[in-house]
Amino acid sequence: MKEKIRQLAKEKNAIILAHNYEPPEIQDIADLCGDSLELSIKASKTKADVIVFCGVHFMAETASILSPEKTILLPNTDAGCPMADMVDPVALTAKKQALGDIPVVTYVNSSAAVKAVSDICCTSANVIKVVNSIDADEILMTPDKNLAKYAAANTYKKVHLWDGYCPFHNILSAKDINKAKKDHPKALFIAHPECPPEVLALADSIQSTSGMIKFAGQSDHKSFILGTETGLLYPISKAYPDKKFYPASEKMYCQDMKKITLENLASSLENLTGEIKVPEDIRKDALGAVQKMINL
Ligand code: 13P
Ligand code: SF4
């Protein structure tokens, strides 16, 4: 199956991109694994004709926004993001207007239609830089309230929240962390900014998924508790086999990030099925917000 996928990728001039939460066999076969920011940058620069996105719907949409001339495939189109579904363009526009038309910063974990009514996008890797780059004293951040609270703690701007969250990061509690620290007293705790503030307050470092991999590599410590989706355990343990990594909680398991299989990946590549194409009127409006982030 793996040989067949690599052969098909060559024949179709396709690049396979995988998020750090994807199943191990998918990460192993990909041309590039990374966090949302790294994957969007790669999607904007590749010379391939086809981009196969092993991730969730909003990631494939972002690739379509950046590369409309390419064929973008999502091998299982049911792979969505519950947090992205917590905001829609009509409600967002109404809230923006009610707040006096202040700039909207939208997490890339959102639909293209939501990006189209936003001023700039951000990811977990660049949120503070993006927020501080805006020429306004007040902003509205959507959809992740935890990411917005993290940004608010790192800027002088007033940050208005949207009541969205990642169900798998939001369930992590201070109690879970205190238990994990008790079980692994020598380990550093690295948290993803999608976690609630009470969890971030206990973190030794706050990082995106690829940021966690880099942080673990640069640290003298030998063990780490990871406050993120458990899929990250695979690439981080592979990168540093001599270090130990423990999940902050086994409850942090995103089913949508496990919907790409070798079988549906091969079939999508062979038949060019699962195409994601953002309609041109939405794409044009969404591009401004995504491109501003990439430029920054
Ligand atoms: P990053 O890889 O950008 O940290 O994103 C985490 C995430 O939840 C993606 O769905
Ligand atoms: Fe969405 Fe959370 Fe799953 Fe990421 S881990 S795709 S934010 S539900």
Side-chain angles (χ1 to χ4, degrees):
M1 187 62 87
K2 287 181 182 168
E3 267 170 40
K4 181 178 169 182
I5 291 170
R6 288 310 330 167
Q7 182 57 31
L8 282 165
K10 209 167 158 188
E11 279 167 25
K12 312 272 182 186
N13 189 23
I15 185 167
I16 303 175
L17 304 182
H19 188 267
N20 289 324
Y21 294 155
E22 286 291 305
E25 63 279 15
I26 299 298
Q27 296 199 34
D28 284 345
I29 203 144
D31 293 290
L32 181 88
C33 298
D35 66 6
S36 308
L37 183 61
E38 292 167 329
L39 296 174
S40 344
I41 291 173
K42 187 70 183 173
S44 72
K45 289 197 174 140
T46 176
K47 289 198 167 63
D49 296 320
V50 176
I51 300 176
V52 191
F53 231 109
C54 301
V56 294
H57 198 267
F58 74 80
M59 296 181 173
E61 272 196 337
T62 305
S64 170
I65 292 167
L66 287 163
S67 299
E69 72 294 351
K70 298 188 194 304
T71 302
I72 315 295
L73 304 177
L74 180 63
N76 182 343
T77 51
D78 283 344
C81 168
M83 167 156 61
D85 295 338
M86 292 178 189
V87 57
D88 69 83
V90 175
L92 177 56
T93 306
K95 182 154 181 172
K96 176 180 159 98
Q97 275 161 8
L99 289 169
D101 211 20
I102 57 174
V104 174
V105 179
T106 289
Y107 195 21
V108 284
N109 299 33
S110 56
S111 68
V114 163
K115 290 181 175 82
V117 296
S118 304
D119 294 272
I120 187 166
C121 284
C122 73
T123 74
S124 58
N126 62 15
V127 55
I128 297 168
K129 194 170 178 177
V130 167
V131 166
N132 284 328
S133 77
I134 295 168
D135 188 18
D137 297 329
E138 277 187 51
I139 58 160
L140 169 60
M141 273 200 73
T142 184
D144 189 355
K145 64 177 178 186
N146 291 325
L147 191 75
K149 287 178 192 170
Y150 169 63
N154 287 281
T155 182
Y156 291 111
K157 296 183 197 300
K158 181 166 174 53
V159 181
H160 295 268
L161 312 181
W162 189 269
D163 193 19
Y165 52 87
C166 166
F168 313 104
H169 285 83
N170 196 51
I171 45 168
L172 199 60
S173 65
K175 201 172 153 206
D176 292 323
I177 306 311
N178 290 331
K179 182 180 180 311
K181 285 189 173 197
K182 215 169 151 196
D183 292 347
H184 311 291
K186 289 194 179 143
L188 288 185
F189 171 48
I190 326 175
H192 194 278
E194 289 175 17
C195 295
E198 64 169 41
V199 168
L200 298 188
L202 298 172
D204 295 295
S205 182
I206 299 169
Q207 300 284 345
S208 74
T209 55
S210 290
M212 288 185 181
I213 300 177
K214 286 182 202 117
F215 178 86
Q218 285 161 3
S219 167
D220 294 335
H221 275 72
K222 294 276 176 242
S223 58
F224 304 86
I225 299 161
L226 302 180
T228 197
E229 205 275 336
T230 51
L232 190 72
L233 286 163
Y234 176 69
I236 204 166
S237 310
K238 190 174 157 184
Y240 305 109
D242 55 326
K243 300 196 177 195
K244 290 239 171 311
F245 300 95
Y246 307 102
S249 163
E250 297 283 355
K251 294 178 287 190
M252 301 177 82
Y253 181 86
C254 173
Q255 295 91 337
D256 282 277
M257 277 288 181
K258 317 301 169 197
K259 286 188 175 165
I260 311 297
T261 62
L262 290 176
E263 287 75 15
N264 60 33
L265 172 53
S267 160
S268 165
L269 255 175
E270 188 160 24
N271 308 304
L272 299 182
T273 47
E275 184 171 3
I276 302 293
K277 194 155 184 63
V278 174
E280 191 54 20
D281 52 335
I282 296 178
R283 190 196 75 82
K284 275 201 311 238
D285 289 341
L287 180 63
V290 179
Q291 195 64 56
K292 252 187 238 163
M293 173 189 82
I294 303 257
N295 293 349
L296 191 69

